[in-house]
Structures are given as C-alpha cells and as structure tokens.
Amino acid sequence: MATTFPELDTRDLPVGAHAASIAAAIDGLSVGGSFILVAADDPRPLLGRLKADGHSGIEWSVLELGPERFRVEVRSRVGPRTVTDFLEGDHQRLDAILQQVARLSADGEDDEARERFAEFETGLGWHIDVEEEVLFPAFETNTGSTNGPTTFMRTEHVAIRQLLVACGAAVAGAGDVQRAIDELGKALAAHNLKEEQVLYPVSDHAVGGDAEREELVEKIQAF
Ligand SMILES: [Fe+2]
Ligand SMILES: [Fe+2]
C-alpha cells in the first residue's frame, strides 16, 4: 500500500522549472490538502524561499533525505500555530506511520513495511534533532531551567534512539518486529505525553507573546 497523497516529482523537470511547478502545486492545495514532493536534492531551502516569497500557507515533514532522492510531505496550514500544536501533530503523524509498519509487517508486506519504517526513522530522527537543537535551547533560555525537564527528555531520547535502531534491525529481518515496535511505541507514548503536557505548553508560555511563539514555530518548521 503506497502513500495515497498526490506526488510532484521534479527530477525529470528542467532545473529552471522547479520553483514554478512547486509554487503551482502549493497554490493548488485545498485546505487540509497535501502532496509529496520528490526531488534529486534537498527541496527544503527552495520551499523556504517560496514560503517567504508569498506561498506562505504551507508546512512540511521529511520522509526521505537522500542520498539518491529526497521526499517531503508538503501540507496546507491555517493560521498561527503553537509549539504544542505543531510538535504534538508530528507525534501523531509518526505514531500513525509506526502503526502502519506494524500492520504491514503482520500482513507479510515486508518490503512496504521497510519503506514506511524508513520514513518513520527519518521523521523521528528529525523530530528528536529539532527538539534538542532548537526547542530545548529555547526552553532553557526562556525559563532559565537548564537542569530540569530538558535534561530528562534528552536522556529519554538516547533510550528511544536505541529502541529505534533495534526496531530497524527487526524490520530488516533480524528480530521480532511486533515486539520491537511495541517496545518503541511504549517508550514513545510515555515520552510524548510528558512533552505534550509539560514541556511544549511551558515552551509556548515562556517564549513571550504571539509573535515570538510564531517565530519559534517557524524556526522549528524550517529546521
Ligand atoms: Fe522528545
Ligand atoms: Fe517530541
């Protein structure tokens, strides 16, 4: 079962036509709509430029980051967002992919399960990196707390990354997939709940006003 989103593959287009074709796809998005952008090089800098250039109603998630191709899910977005909205939404997006991997693997669709797991791995890697490199430093600066929740979350990230590696090995054929997904899923559920109930809301509150909050969300999105 391949992804059902429409796809825009720029690899066969002349380089000079990339921006215009992506801009047209963005402008054609309905509310809540999305498409998968496929490219030979990382398309995120171009998406950032298009966004700054008036095609602003979008956000995106990485599905594949090279080396041979890049795939990014581009979605329409409405109104200002909070850190809680944005990253809780990413938790839900990743949970749904992991559940798909479990289903596909149970059905014996091993190739498809591996493809979806690769998307999960890329997405969770991005998610943890953006928390550690953008969100947690902002939290620490804005709250003055450098040895509290962020230290605890970083420690949990180390354990989650280890479970992710074990899960990848299982999906690749070297272990019990359902058990590995179950263990990773449990660790993520407990971790995500703490972030959603404490760290994200405090980040939203501590950053200052609406403009500062939107700026932080944009920084997270652009990472
Ligand atoms: Fe986290
Ligand atoms: Fe998170």
Side-chain angles (χ1 to χ4, degrees):
M1 185 187 64
T3 177
T4 52
F5 299 124
E7 196 175 274
L8 171 61
D9 191 338
T10 58
R11 290 176 299 174
D12 297 329
L13 298 174
V15 172
H18 289 188
S21 59
I22 298 168
I26 292 170
D27 295 344
L29 277 174
S30 54
V31 175
S34 63
F35 65 92
I36 306 285
L37 176 58
V38 185
D41 299 304
D42 192 343
R44 290 176 293 173
L46 178 54
L47 285 170
R49 286 198 295 278
L50 288 167
K51 192 170 173 176
D53 205 23
H55 307 279
S56 56
I58 51 165
E59 61 185 29
W60 55 84
S61 303
V62 290
L63 300 176
E64 190 174 338
L65 292 175
E68 275 147 34
R69 66 174 187 179
F70 291 76
R71 289 165 61 243
V72 176
E73 181 189 324
V74 182
R75 298 181 297 270
S76 73
R77 50 155 289 184
V78 181
R81 311 198 67 178
T82 62
V83 168
T84 308
D85 287 338
F86 186 76
L87 289 177
E88 191 173 327
D90 204 44
H91 286 166
Q92 288 164 2
R93 186 185 74 85
L94 290 167
D95 285 347
I97 300 178
L98 194 60
Q99 281 168 21
Q100 278 185 331
V101 176
R103 265 201 309 277
L104 287 162
S105 176
D107 291 345
E109 304 275 355
D110 292 341
D111 288 345
E112 184 72 19
R114 278 193 279 273
E115 280 176 31
R116 297 298 284 159
F117 184 77
E119 293 178 356
F120 177 81
E121 203 174 20
T122 301
L124 184 59
W126 177 90
H127 185 101
I128 290 176
D129 285 346
V130 78
E131 287 180 344
E132 294 190 348
E133 292 179 36
V134 179
L135 180 67
F136 295 177
F139 179 97
E140 288 159 1
T141 302
N142 295 331
T143 63
S145 162
T146 54
N147 200 18
T150 51
T151 304
F152 193 52
M153 292 297 107
R154 283 180 204 273
T155 305
E156 290 194 349
H157 283 173
V158 173
I160 288 168
R161 282 192 198 274
Q162 284 168 354
L163 290 169
L164 184 64
V165 170
C167 207
V171 171
D176 183 333
V177 174
Q178 300 304 328
R179 193 169 139 192
I181 288 179
D182 195 45
E183 284 180 13
L184 176 58
K186 276 185 190 150
L188 276 175
H191 176 79
N192 292 351
L193 194 66
K194 283 174 246 173
E195 290 183 338
E196 291 166 15
Q197 293 191 339
V198 180
L199 200 128
Y200 295 168
V202 172
S203 297
D204 277 320
H205 182 72
V207 73
D210 292 347
E212 290 87 356
R213 191 174 307 115
E214 183 66 12
E215 197 181 316
L216 178 57
V217 176
E218 284 301 316
K219 212 168 151 190
I220 290 169
Q221 161 69 91
F223 178 77

